[in-house]
Amino acid sequence: FFGKNGSAGVVSVVSADPSQKFESYVKVAYETKARQPIYEGMVSGALSDTFSARLAVRGSTMSRGYIENVASAQNFGYIDVATGNTASTVATPADKYGPNEDSLAGRLTLMYTPNDSIKNVTKLSANKTKTGNGSWNYIVYDCPSAGAPTPCGRDFVNAMNNLPAAAAATFPLSGSGGVLHNDYDSLQLTNTTQFDFKQWNLNTTLNYQRFKNIFSIDADYYSSPTSSTFANQRDKYDAYSGEVRAQTSFSGPFNFLIGGLYQKTKLKSFQAVILAGIVNSAAPLPENLFESFDKYSNTDGETASVFAQGTWKINEQWEFAAGARYTHETKKSDFEHRYVNPALAGLFVQGTLIKADQSWNNVSPEATLSWKANDDVTLYGAYKTGYKSGGFSNSAILTVNTTAANFQFNPEKPKGFELGLKSQLLDRTLNLVVTLYDYKFKDLQLEVFNSSLVAFNAGNAGSATTRGIETEVEWLPRAVSGLTLSGSLNYNEAKYENFANAPCYAGQTIAQGCTLDPVLPGVTRQDLTGKHTAVAPKITGNLGVNWETGIPKGKLVLSGNARYSDSYNISQYNNPRTIQASYVMFDAAAKVELGDGSWELGVIGRNLTNKFVLTGTLDVVGGGSGTGTAAGVPATQAGLVTLPRTVQLQVTKRF
């Protein structure tokens, strides 16, 4: 309850502070699949008795990539709706390999410690990443219809084209000659101050972050003479926040923590789409010539919250902790199609500004009772709740059948129980952690791609449940020096508990459970109550081994890991064609440390058996027909794929 948007837990990553003595390193690496050299370096040390600094920089460039693009040049035909004239232009193939990425990132950390009670740390982080294709990791993998695109299958190959040459000159955000791209820039500035006193401490955190992302994609995800959907988008985000918290450390049985947070955010989004081979020479602005429609959307958010927790050490074995977080949040959003091609005027609404003023109040309580049987065994039971912000679908579409309410979605609110065991056994050579959990998510947030409208819409399922057991083991057998064995085995049952008005997948028939909405033309519904949620395998696990041994003038470290996942449905809407089969993925690494560890040579291999694993899916634009009728035709599927086999060589020198 100390974090907003932590409905499924929070992972905290803390970067290193400056050291008091001088230290530095240089690392050079090379990833063989993407042909990617990587350069990394760090320098850290004290500048005075009270002031120290740390600078870390990382850069990389690819001459290839992970996914091969086999597209050919395509003749893009179009009709001018103002004159009726037809013409054509060429859409050249996008980059031969994706992502063809160049990246540069850095972090400067300054630390001021005037005495033992005060510590002030300022961190400035920046990142700039340029990718050759904004949708490089989407693969067309399932093609049920006649005349399916090629390639189509579960392989690390796709086919995408740059923007048509004639459109590149005027179409917004086209970059250099209409070449597909994704440009991302971010900046984050954080200042934290810790005041440590005898029986309590005070922490303050001030943060500013921003990012800008501009991309251009072939929104059909394949190359063909009829491939004619392209989308360019720009998103800008700024956020300011401040938090203060105080925590006691009394010698008695009672202690408490109390704090508050304020945050202000601003998101500005713009998108332009080429669709259906139509242009308008009579458009009011030059950039509207090839636009089928555009979208302008903004969201301003403001959050204020307070939180508190009390801890009662009942005796040497029992401890009880309870707390809650109160959150008040507002979001003000707007959306407008400032231009729509006249040929689409019967579907999209131009010039209507819709607004949404949203406000929520939430209290998220939490309580944990722990029993420490001895120094090596702890049992606990917990009741936990969470909160994930509601919002506004900035990338949605305003049609003749939608209103401002269709753009809004509710907060997600989970609550449930955990029972756990944390233990160190066999003279602390065996770590065993077991967790049983049962959670219910009210208004589970989902996002669906509407292929007919080229839009992502966020919404809510009525509720969902997830329950299961997680087991983690780590063993250091004394019989083999330097050997560590680890593993986990998890069982999870995740289902929609109430989702009676779920959208249908494209081409879903009446016999498959899809019906037409009796009021809204063209809107379809299905009942997914009792069905499994997306990307929720029942059984997952891993088995790892790590062995360290001395060698002449150094140390050798060998490690390997096998990860197993049961099968799961990739689609949030239970499409029977979007199943990811069960798989085992293998990783391995070897490292040699020489001398006093100042030199390190390593090789790291991931997904060594080159497994093709999908983690997301969407209907290809224009695919599927007859949804909600007796004669539906399934849509071609494009899926988000994890990386293929990668092997990275690296050399590190520490000073």
Side-chain angles (χ1 to χ4, degrees):
F1 54 79
F2 297 123
K4 187 182 73 168
N5 295 342
S7 64
V10 174
V11 175
S12 176
V13 179
V14 181
S15 60
D17 286 339
S19 55
Q20 292 302 307
K21 64 178 182 179
F22 176 81
E23 62 178 1
S24 64
Y25 76 83
V26 175
K27 179 187 292 184
V28 178
Y30 183 77
E31 201 291 305
T32 59
K33 177 69 175 179
R35 299 180 184 176
Q36 178 189 26
I38 304 165
Y39 311 96
E40 186 175 308
M42 181 276 293
V43 59
S44 178
L47 303 179
S48 69
D49 291 341
T50 59
F51 194 70
S52 56
R54 186 180 195 271
L55 176 65
V57 180
R58 184 182 190 275
S60 68
T61 185
M62 292 182 181
S63 60
R64 188 165 162 153
Y66 305 111
I67 308 295
E68 183 180 4
N69 177 29
V70 297
S72 58
Q74 298 296 330
N75 207 32
F76 174 70
Y78 55 91
I79 183 171
D80 187 340
V81 299
T83 65
N85 296 332
T86 60
S88 65
T89 183
V90 175
T92 60
D95 280 352
K96 179 67 175 175
Y97 295 95
N100 193 20
E101 179 185 275
D102 294 331
S103 177
L104 179 63
R107 181 185 298 110
L108 174 64
T109 305
L110 305 175
M111 185 168 70
Y112 175 60
T113 52
N115 53 54
D116 293 339
S117 300
I118 300 176
K119 176 182 176 182
N120 181 271
V121 178
T122 300
K123 297 189 179 186
L124 175 64
S125 302
N127 175 50
K128 186 177 184 66
T129 301
K130 299 178 71 67
T131 301
N133 181 350
S135 54
W136 65 272
N137 51 350
Y138 274 93
I139 305 291
V140 176
Y141 69 93
D142 183 78
C143 304
S145 306
T150 56
C152 181
R154 302 195 178 213
D155 196 4
F156 298 100
V157 178
N158 60 21
M160 299 185 195
N161 292 79
N162 295 318
L163 268 66
T170 62
F171 194 64
L173 308 176
S174 292
S176 177
V179 173
L180 301 188
H181 64 279
N182 192 106
D183 299 338
Y184 176 82
D185 298 279
S186 70
L187 178 71
Q188 179 170 294
L189 178 63
T190 302
N191 178 270
T192 60
T193 305
Q194 301 176 16
F195 301 91
D196 293 325
F197 304 105
K198 291 183 178 180
Q199 293 186 316
W200 65 284
N201 61 68
L202 178 70
N203 294 338
T204 65
T205 302
L206 299 174
N207 176 261
Y208 167 71
Q209 57 179 313
R210 68 167 176 84
F211 76 78
K212 180 175 69 173
N213 194 59
I214 300 175
F215 68 76
S216 175
I217 64 171
D218 180 345
D220 294 294
Y221 302 106
Y222 67 89
S223 173
S224 78
T226 59
S227 177
S228 59
T229 307
F230 299 88
N232 291 359
Q233 183 163 324
R234 178 184 60 233
D235 296 296
K236 294 182 178 180
Y237 177 80
D238 290 89
Y240 306 83
S241 66
E243 183 185 88
V244 59
R245 63 173 65 191
Q247 185 167 12
T248 66
S249 54
F250 301 138
S251 58
F254 295 100
N255 279 283
F256 66 88
L257 180 150
I258 188 169
L261 168 77
Y262 175 79
Q263 182 185 53
K264 193 173 182 66
T265 63
K266 179 181 287 293
L267 173 65
K268 301 182 68 175
S269 182
F270 165 77
Q271 186 183 81
V273 176
I274 294 175
L275 178 70
I278 52 176
V279 302
N280 181 16
S281 60
L285 298 173
E287 55 263 36
N288 301 145
L289 173 62
F290 272 85
E291 283 185 350
S292 297
F293 59 89
D294 60 23
K295 298 185 286 185
Y296 290 81
S297 186
N298 305 282
T299 295
D300 293 339
E302 191 170 13
T303 301
S305 65
V306 293
F307 51 86
Q309 182 189 51
T311 303
W312 176 26
K313 190 171 183 180
I314 302 170
N315 56 38
E316 291 300 316
Q317 291 183 302
W318 289 91
E319 182 175 281
F320 178 71
R325 181 187 187 97
Y326 167 76
T327 300
H328 173 70
E329 189 168 27
T330 61
K331 289 186 178 180
K332 295 184 177 182
S333 306
D334 59 67
F335 179 96
E336 182 181 13
H337 293 300
R338 296 184 184 174
Y339 174 77
V340 174
N341 187 291
L344 300 174
L347 178 60
F348 302 123
V349 179
Q350 177 181 326
T352 297
L353 180 66
I354 63 170
K355 296 184 177 182
D357 289 345
Q358 299 168 280
S359 178
W360 305 281
N361 294 288
N362 175 260
V363 177
S364 297
E366 179 176 294
T368 302
L369 179 64
S370 303
W371 178 57
K372 189 175 182 179
N374 52 53
D375 288 343
D376 297 327
V377 177
T378 298
L379 296 171
Y380 74 91
Y383 171 75
K384 298 190 177 188
T385 63
Y387 172 77
K388 184 177 180 180
S389 298
F392 186 86
S393 294
N394 300 89
S395 59
I397 293 286
L398 180 61
T399 73
V400 294
N401 294 321
T402 58
T403 65
N406 298 117
F407 284 74
Q408 302 176 47
F409 55 93
N410 295 324
E412 180 179 289
K413 300 176 183 178
K415 61 180 179 180
F417 298 90
E418 291 183 14
L419 294 174
L421 164 71
K422 297 183 178 183
S423 61
Q424 293 179 310
L425 308 174
L426 302 180
D427 196 22
R428 299 193 174 185
T429 63
L430 177 68
N431 294 331
L432 174 64
V433 178
V434 181
T435 306
L436 290 86
Y437 59 90
D438 189 331
Y439 283 96
K440 179 178 180 179
F441 289 77
K442 181 182 179 183
D443 288 326
L444 178 72
Q445 293 177 7
L446 303 172
E447 188 172 57
V448 61
F449 179 69
N450 188 322
S451 60
S452 62
L453 300 178
V454 198
F456 284 94
N457 284 66
N460 301 96
S463 61
T465 58
T466 177
R467 53 179 61 96
I469 181 171
E470 298 179 347
T471 304
E472 302 174 36
V473 178
E474 184 181 61
W475 182 36
L476 289 74
R478 296 191 186 279
V480 183
S481 177
L483 179 66
T484 301
L485 302 175
S486 61
S488 68
L489 183 62
N490 313 307
Y491 176 81
N492 177 60
E493 188 78 22
K495 293 183 177 181
Y496 296 116
E497 187 177 68
N498 178 16
F499 202 9
N501 292 312
C504 298
Y505 55 86
Q508 185 177 0
T509 65
I510 295 174
Q512 293 170 321
C514 181
T515 59
L516 292 170
D517 191 290
V519 178
L520 299 174
V523 176
T524 57
R525 305 293 186 195
Q526 63 169 319
D527 188 354
L528 289 180
T529 301
K531 302 295 185 180
H532 284 93
T533 60
V535 196
K538 283 189 175 182
I539 300 175
T540 58
N542 79 280
L543 183 63
V545 58
N546 189 85
W547 181 54
E548 300 182 10
T549 185
I551 59 174
K553 298 184 179 180
K555 181 172 69 173
L556 171 66
V557 181
L558 301 175
S559 63
N561 188 72
R563 290 173 284 138
Y564 170 78
S565 173
D566 199 2
S567 62
Y568 54 83
N569 198 318
I570 314 162
S571 168
Q572 297 180 109
Y573 303 106
N574 204 43
N575 189 336
R577 305 189 66 92
T578 59
I579 303 296
Q580 170 62 53
S582 61
Y583 63 88
V584 179
M585 193 175 289
F586 295 94
D587 304 328
K591 181 176 68 175
V592 174
E593 296 181 6
L594 300 177
D596 56 357
S598 61
W599 283 96
E600 183 181 294
L601 311 175
V603 57
I604 302 170
R606 296 186 174 92
N607 191 11
L608 293 176
T609 52
N610 212 37
K611 288 291 184 181
F612 185 92
V613 176
L614 292 161
T615 59
T617 192
L618 50 79
D619 300 329
V620 166
V621 174
S625 62
T627 307
T629 70
V633 177
T636 295
Q637 295 293 312
L640 185 65
V641 65
T642 59
L643 294 185
R645 179 192 302 113
T646 63
V647 178
Q648 181 174 300
L649 312 174
Q650 60 184 40
V651 179
T652 305
K653 170 60 178 175
R654 302 185 185 278
F655 301 93

